[in-house]
């Protein structure tokens, strides 16, 4: 699945470097970000000089730096989406269909960026640059929504892994109760039943939170980037609440363990 | 002219004799005053040291809560800490239970330590409008 995901994404960019691992993708993203910051600074300087002097030379320099920055901006976003693809490929908690959905989102965005990057070399004036940049600006909200859906999805994947470990421990406890429950006194049986009930309640609350996150995430929309950030933060808060339920259930598991371990 | 010797005086001049140097093998006792000073200094130093020790022990006694006889740990004792007097169930040493025990004890740390939101993969913040 990992190889399929990476090859599917990278097959659209035959000149792209093949990343061996998430770590390599992360380093490349950071590298591209460093170059972007440098080119953005040069663009700002050239833009300010043109605004100040309004000479043809300043205009030509501003145009050159603008094109360079725009190309690097697309490359930066491309490297970031590739990093997300790698993270998705290594995730073990998400279902296949959910993962495929996110890979499709990344594919769509990479197609857009590739098409947008091809427009940049033909930019001949600052007006052209404004127009081409405007295409990215108008698409940026859609891109940002996709990115945040994937980030929340990765968090849900991690929660699912923790939930599986939790369930495994519960099954072990139930096996012990089934095997040795005959030797329990009525009081002990009552205590054990109460702990198991508490544990199952916490597990249910955890699952409810998980389902809420996935439901909201699948239908994620936003009026603007600020609204998107607010909704993203709210979902991150729900992720934290889900983890808290699981943590409480785990503490009850310790109590159950002690109730099973000691005769009194 | 003949020389005449003067008459011998009645009182012969006293001839100064050099004082004898005493032998160092038998030291004469020290003068009383310097020995007394050193003794006083020693006594003062000893008294000061004793006072410091006394002050330290008083401070230690007053900082402990009344009635306490020993330092107690500030961390609460979690329930279920193995106390040697608690009897184990018959299956507490069975492999099935030991497996569950290991999993249950490791779960809280796993859950709290899991990285749910990797901070290194947050999206880049970009200034989009060119501003021309």
């Amino acid at each position: 699945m990992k190889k399929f995901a990476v090859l599917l994404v990278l097959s659209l960019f035959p000149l792209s470097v093949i990343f061996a691992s998430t770590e390599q993708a992360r380093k490349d993203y950071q590298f591209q970000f460093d170059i972007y910051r440098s080119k953005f600074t040069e663009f700002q300087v050239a833009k300010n000089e043109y605004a100040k002097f309004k000479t043809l030379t300043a205009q030509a320099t501003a145009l050159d730096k603008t094109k360079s920055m725009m190309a690097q901006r697309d490359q930066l976003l491309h490297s970031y989406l590739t990093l997300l693809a790698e993270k998705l490929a290594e995730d073990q908690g998400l279902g296949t269909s959910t993962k495929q959905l996110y890979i499709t989102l990344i594919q769509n965005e990479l197609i857009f960026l590739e098409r947008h990057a091809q427009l940049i070399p033909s930019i001949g004036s600052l007006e052209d640059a404004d127009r081409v940049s405007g295409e990215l600006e108008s698409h940026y909200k859609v891109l940002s929504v996709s990115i945040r859906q994937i980030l929340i999805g990765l968090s849900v994947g991690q929660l699912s892994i923790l939930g599986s470990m939790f369930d495994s421990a519960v099954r072990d406890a139930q096996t012990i109760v089934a095997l040795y429950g005959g030797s329990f006194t009525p009081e002990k049986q009552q205590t054990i039943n109460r702990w198991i009930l508490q544990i199952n309640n916490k597990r249910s609350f955890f699952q409810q939170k998980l389902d809420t996150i996935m439901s909201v995430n699948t239908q994620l929309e936003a009026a603007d980037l600020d609204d998107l950030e607010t909704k993203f933060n709210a979902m991150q808060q729900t992720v934290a609440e889900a983890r808290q339920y699981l943590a409480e259930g785990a503490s009850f598991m310790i109590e159950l363990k002690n109730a099973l371990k000691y005769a009194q | 002219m003949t020389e005449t010797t003067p008459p011998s005086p009645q009182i012969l001049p006293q001839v100064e004799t050099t004082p004898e140097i005493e032998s160092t093998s038998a030291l004469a006792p020290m003068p009383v005053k310097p020995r007394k000073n050193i003794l006083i200094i020693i006594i003062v130093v000893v008294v000061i040291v004793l006072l410091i020790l006394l002050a330290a022990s008083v401070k230690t006694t007053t900082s402990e809560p009344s009635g306490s006889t020993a330092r107690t740990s500030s961390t609460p004792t979690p329930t279920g800490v193995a106390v040697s007097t608690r009897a184990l169930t018959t299956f507490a040493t069975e492999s099935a239970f030991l497996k569950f025990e290991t999993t249950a004890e490791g779960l809280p740390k796993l859950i709290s330590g899991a990285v749910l939101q990797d901070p290194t993969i947050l999206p880049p913040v970009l200034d989009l409008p060119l501003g021309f």
Side-chain angles (χ1 to χ4, degrees):
Chain A
M1 184 61 198
K2 178 176 178 171
K3 275 187 185 172
F4 171 77
V6 172
L7 285 173
L8 189 63
V9 167
L10 297 176
S11 63
L12 300 168
F13 298 89
L15 298 179
S16 298
V17 177
I18 295 174
F19 299 114
S21 66
T22 307
E23 199 47 44
Q24 187 59 43
R26 197 192 313 273
K27 281 179 185 169
D28 182 66
Y29 166 59
Q30 286 164 355
F31 175 69
Q32 298 298 339
F33 209 159
D34 290 339
I35 297 175
Y36 170 74
R37 285 193 197 99
S38 168
K39 288 190 184 254
F40 187 78
T41 303
E42 288 171 8
F43 152 74
Q44 279 185 313
V45 168
K47 187 178 85 167
N48 291 341
E49 285 206 358
Y50 170 63
K52 206 171 173 183
F53 300 113
K54 293 284 187 196
T55 62
L56 284 174
T57 308
Q59 186 183 41
T61 306
L63 180 62
D64 180 55
K65 296 297 181 190
T66 300
K67 286 167 68 173
S68 179
M69 183 277 291
M70 286 171 64
Q72 183 56 33
R73 191 168 61 184
D74 284 349
Q75 183 60 33
L76 170 65
L77 288 170
H78 167 236
S79 67
Y80 175 72
L81 289 170
T82 307
L83 172 59
L84 281 189
E86 283 286 342
K87 290 290 287 185
L88 267 177
E90 72 176 16
D91 174 82
Q92 302 288 324
L94 288 171
T96 311
S97 58
T98 308
K99 218 182 252 198
Q100 186 55 53
L101 170 69
Y102 295 145
I103 288 172
T104 304
L105 287 178
I106 291 176
Q107 260 183 294
N108 292 342
E109 295 307 325
L110 287 172
I111 289 170
F112 171 84
L113 286 171
E114 175 71 2
R115 192 186 61 77
H116 186 259
Q118 286 169 357
L119 296 174
I120 294 171
S122 59
I123 290 172
S125 66
L126 292 177
E127 289 75 25
D128 282 347
D130 248 340
R131 182 181 49 79
V132 172
S133 180
E135 287 192 27
L136 177 63
E137 290 163 39
S138 60
H139 182 77
Y140 196 67
K141 192 181 79 173
V142 173
L143 171 63
S144 298
V145 167
S146 299
I147 286 171
R148 276 150 186 81
Q149 283 179 308
I150 295 167
L151 289 176
I152 292 294
L154 287 170
S155 298
V156 168
Q158 291 301 306
L159 281 174
S160 299
I161 292 171
L162 294 176
S164 296
M165 291 177 181
F166 188 93
D167 293 341
S168 175
V170 170
R171 279 194 299 273
D172 288 346
Q174 285 169 340
T175 302
I176 290 162
V177 172
L179 283 174
Y180 305 106
S183 64
F184 298 159
T185 62
E187 294 78 21
K188 188 164 200 61
Q189 186 66 62
Q190 216 172 13
T191 303
I192 288 167
N193 288 346
R194 270 206 305 274
W195 284 124
I196 290 177
L197 179 66
Q198 295 276 21
I199 289 166
N200 286 336
N201 282 346
K202 291 297 179 184
R203 181 58 175 89
S204 294
F205 293 146
F206 164 76
Q207 191 59 48
Q208 282 174 26
K209 285 289 179 183
L210 224 58
D211 293 342
T212 301
I213 293 165
M214 287 310 291
S215 172
V216 171
N217 198 35
T218 306
Q219 300 160 31
L220 184 63
E221 282 180 356
D224 50 45
L225 292 178
D226 287 336
D227 182 38
L228 176 63
E229 213 52 42
T230 304
K231 287 178 177 169
F232 179 64
N233 291 339
M235 282 195 286
Q236 285 184 314
Q237 177 61 30
T238 313
V239 164
E241 288 165 7
R243 190 222 293 260
Q244 183 58 27
Y245 277 131
L246 215 56
E248 288 168 9
S251 72
F252 292 160
M253 197 90 70
I254 302 276
E255 300 296 337
L256 174 63
K257 183 265 298 181
N258 291 329
L260 289 170
K261 183 171 183 173
Y262 299 107
Q264 289 168 3
Chain B
M1 283 175 76
T2 58
E3 286 182 359
T4 55
T5 57
S8 304
Q10 295 289 331
I11 301 167
L12 288 174
Q14 282 186 339
V15 177
E16 287 186 3
T17 57
T18 56
E20 286 180 7
I21 296 170
E22 293 172 355
S23 165
T24 56
S25 59
L27 286 171
M30 284 179 74
V32 176
K33 261 198 175 170
R35 187 171 60 166
K36 199 176 177 182
N37 287 344
I38 288 169
L39 201 61
I40 290 169
I41 290 167
I42 290 170
I43 290 168
V44 167
V45 167
V46 167
V47 166
I48 289 169
V49 167
L50 285 174
L51 282 172
I52 290 170
L53 289 173
L54 185 67
S57 69
V58 166
K59 192 176 177 186
T60 308
T61 308
T62 54
S63 69
E64 283 179 1
S66 58
S68 69
T69 54
R71 284 187 187 278
T72 55
S73 168
S74 61
T75 54
T77 305
T79 58
V81 167
V83 177
S84 58
T85 56
R86 292 182 76 179
L88 297 176
T89 50
T90 53
F91 53 84
T93 52
E94 297 290 329
S95 59
F97 178 80
L98 292 173
K99 176 176 176 272
F100 166 65
E101 184 177 34
T102 305
T103 308
E105 285 177 352
L107 214 47
K109 197 174 177 183
L110 265 173
I111 291 170
S112 63
V115 177
L116 299 183
Q117 288 142 22
D118 187 350
T120 63
I121 62 167
L122 290 175
V125 177
L126 303 177
D127 285 320
L128 284 181
L130 294 180
F132 284 111

